[in-house]
Amino acid sequence: QKEVEQDPGPLSVPEGAIVSLNCTYSNSAFQYFMWYRQYSRKGPELLMYTYSSGNKEDGRFTAQVDKSSKYISLFIRDSQPSDSATYLCAKKRNDYKLSFGAGTTVTVRA
Amino acid sequence: DAGVTQSPTHLIKTRGQQVTLRCSPKSGHDTVSWYQQALGQGPQFIFQYYEEEERQRGNFPDRFSGHQFPNYSSELNVNALLLGDSALYLCASSSGGRREGHLNTEAFFGQGTRLTVV
């Protein structure tokens, strides 16, 4: 079983829509959860990270963690064509490696 | 701030050859991690270097080896290349390596080296 499973997509939404991205994870040891954005032919860029259950907001982005169900989500409000990218969820335990999901490719149509 | 820089950006090698990829971490960072990202997949952890030593290793064979220099830059070496080694190789740098259990701050990724094995 993979440590992080991510809804595969791809997703295509009209500009202004809410984008919802989801992942589940295994292994309940204390850990951090992250969302990265990766544009084509680029390295991943950290969007947000959190370690507690609940919501964390940063501008148009909201990261949600539900540790009871081992579910992590990212919501993008008022989506823009510039949000078109692959979004990667990841988790990090007390050791050092990041465990990534496979990524969801999002296209926001103008 | 140049961020994390990797070289070369693209590389084509033949099966059986050896390759060396290079990474310079973001200024102020002392920890370098390497990841392999196959097409359509998330990055997979190869290993992490801190204080010039391999601190943790993922599930990769011994053909994958690395090195960290006193200036914190790092190399990834892959011997006896296989077709399946074709991927984007990513370097990530971070700091705070002394504090075990700490997030090790955000990991900043380079743009990667696209390796094609033919």
Side-chain angles (χ1 to χ4, degrees):
Chain A
Q1 182 186 10
K2 290 185 179 180
E3 290 196 57
V4 181
E5 299 275 2
Q6 185 167 0
D7 287 354
L11 291 179
S12 179
V13 300
E15 184 174 357
I18 295 175
V19 176
S20 175
L21 302 166
N22 302 297
C23 293
T24 58
Y25 66 92
S26 61
N27 189 334
S28 298
F30 176 79
Q31 51 203 340
Y32 291 89
F33 304 95
M34 286 86 120
W35 284 95
Y36 284 83
R37 176 175 62 195
Q38 186 173 25
Y39 292 114
S40 180
R41 303 183 186 280
K42 301 288 187 181
E45 169 196 9
L46 180 68
L47 283 175
M48 301 180 69
Y49 70 91
T50 184
Y51 57 85
S52 56
S53 282
N55 294 348
K56 181 178 181 180
E57 285 194 20
D58 184 0
R60 297 185 295 111
F61 298 89
T62 299
Q64 186 177 82
V65 176
D66 182 345
K67 289 191 175 183
S68 62
S69 59
K70 298 182 183 176
Y71 209 76
I72 53 179
S73 301
L74 179 71
F75 302 96
I76 307 173
R77 293 182 299 279
D78 187 25
S79 57
Q80 305 295 311
S82 59
D83 294 327
S84 297
T86 297
Y87 290 82
L88 297 158
C89 59
K91 73 177 182 72
K92 182 182 179 74
R93 300 177 304 177
N94 274 354
D95 54 13
Y96 306 105
K97 72 171 187 176
L98 290 166
S99 297
F100 285 89
T104 302
T105 299
V106 174
T107 301
V108 180
R109 308 185 305 272
Chain B
D1 185 359
V4 181
T5 58
Q6 292 187 242
S7 63
T9 54
H10 295 85
L11 204 52
I12 299 176
K13 289 287 189 177
T14 304
R15 275 180 301 174
Q17 285 189 314
Q18 178 264 345
V19 68
T20 297
L21 311 180
R22 295 176 176 81
C23 171
S24 292
K26 180 178 168 67
S27 178
H29 284 183
D30 56 11
T31 304
V32 173
S33 303
W34 286 93
Y35 290 80
Q36 179 196 66
Q37 186 176 23
L39 196 62
Q41 299 297 316
Q44 298 293 315
F45 177 77
I46 302 175
F47 41 52
Q48 184 180 87
Y49 277 85
Y50 173 67
E51 292 188 337
E52 302 180 51
E53 292 196 357
E54 183 183 291
R55 181 159 66 176
Q56 189 182 10
R57 189 180 183 90
N59 193 25
F60 279 81
D62 292 345
R63 297 187 298 109
F64 290 78
S65 63
H67 189 76
Q68 186 178 34
F69 299 93
N71 67 353
Y72 308 123
S73 66
S74 177
E75 289 182 349
L76 165 65
N77 301 293
V78 187
N79 294 324
L81 285 167
L82 304 174
L83 295 179
D85 294 332
S86 296
L88 179 67
Y89 287 85
L90 295 162
C91 169
S93 76
S94 53
S95 65
R98 291 182 182 277
R99 290 172 284 172
E100 186 167 337
H102 181 65
L103 175 63
N104 212 12
T105 66
E106 303 91 344
F108 290 83
F109 283 83
Q111 294 205 41
T113 295
R114 174 73 61 187
L115 172 65
T116 302
V117 182
V118 297

